[in-house]
């Protein structure tokens, strides 16, 4: 049975990274690990590690992406949680068998060689859930 | 400077604990640690640990609490995140000095002797943030 290992990150959609950092970094004291422009996801993303997880601030850079539409409709706020799984292919097959509605029935490639997939909020009590599996280190 | 140590839990408001568990426990494979009726919070809460954090499913038991109104207005979904802090009194004083809008300017007592306080979403890019400090063990 594939296993969930931990919360990798919580993604928060924001309208402006610098003003979001006045709380998450400057007031709360989290360290800003790095900021990355991710044109594939039409976003700028800032990563703030805490314990074994990260707070991820996501600012849309276009008006048409999923996060941009989320921001327009609901305003800034929590967007999804990402859970690390040890075997994403086995987990997706298992979830499908259980009747869970998947946005990606097979894993897609995320940044840094990660394999990722999203689960539809209809099956999760309204939470957009991302699964990811770390790339196997080169031998 | 007071320090955030980790994500303690992510709270998800649901309309029904058993049907939420068909995903979070039965499909995803998280362990259900326990279910607790919390009359003070007008809720039933189910805890599913993962790594150093927990997924917390919250079902309102009245129509009048904050979570009940959230559920009526927005439907099931992520409600708040809770961060463990090593010194909540110092953190609240520090946040106040930084101009952060606090729901509780001084910590209140949560279950099990924990000291907790909530930060207003206006200051956090739309995220309801709970802080908590573990009780000091008896000598």
């Amino acid at each position: 049975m594939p296993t969930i290992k931990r919360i990798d990150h919580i993604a928060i959609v924001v309208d402006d990274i610098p003003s979001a950092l006045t709380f998450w970094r400057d007031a709360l004291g989290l360290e800003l690990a790095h900021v990355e422009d991710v044109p594939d996801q039409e976003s700028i993303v800032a990563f703030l590690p805490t314990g074994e997880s990260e707070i991820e601030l996501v600012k849309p850079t276009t008006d048409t992406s999923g996060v941009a539409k989320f921001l327009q409709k609901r305003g800034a706020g929590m967007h999804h949680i990402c859970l690390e799984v040890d075997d994403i292919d086995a987990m997706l097959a298992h979830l499908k068998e259980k009747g869970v509605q998947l946005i990606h029935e097979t894993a897609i490639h995320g940044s840094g060689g990660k394999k990722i997939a999203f689960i539809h909020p209809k099956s999760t009590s309204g939470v957009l859930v991302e699964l990811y599996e770390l790339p196997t280190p080169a031998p």
Side-chain angles (χ1 to χ4, degrees), chain A residues 29-85:
Chain A
L30 297 182
E31 183 203 348
L32 176 62
H34 70 288
V35 179
E36 195 180 329
D37 189 356
V38 191
D40 277 3
Q41 291 170 31
E42 304 173 34
S43 299
I44 295 172
V45 185
F47 299 90
L48 300 103
T50 176
E52 65 180 15
S53 307
E54 288 187 311
I55 301 292
E56 205 180 290
L57 305 174
V58 182
K59 184 216 168 328
T61 50
T62 69
D63 291 335
T64 49
S65 65
V67 283
K69 286 175 188 162
F70 178 97
L71 183 63
Q72 289 153 24
K73 191 174 163 192
R74 305 187 61 154
M78 288 187 281
H79 182 261
H80 70 264
I81 66 171
C82 176
L83 303 171
E84 186 189 346
V85 60

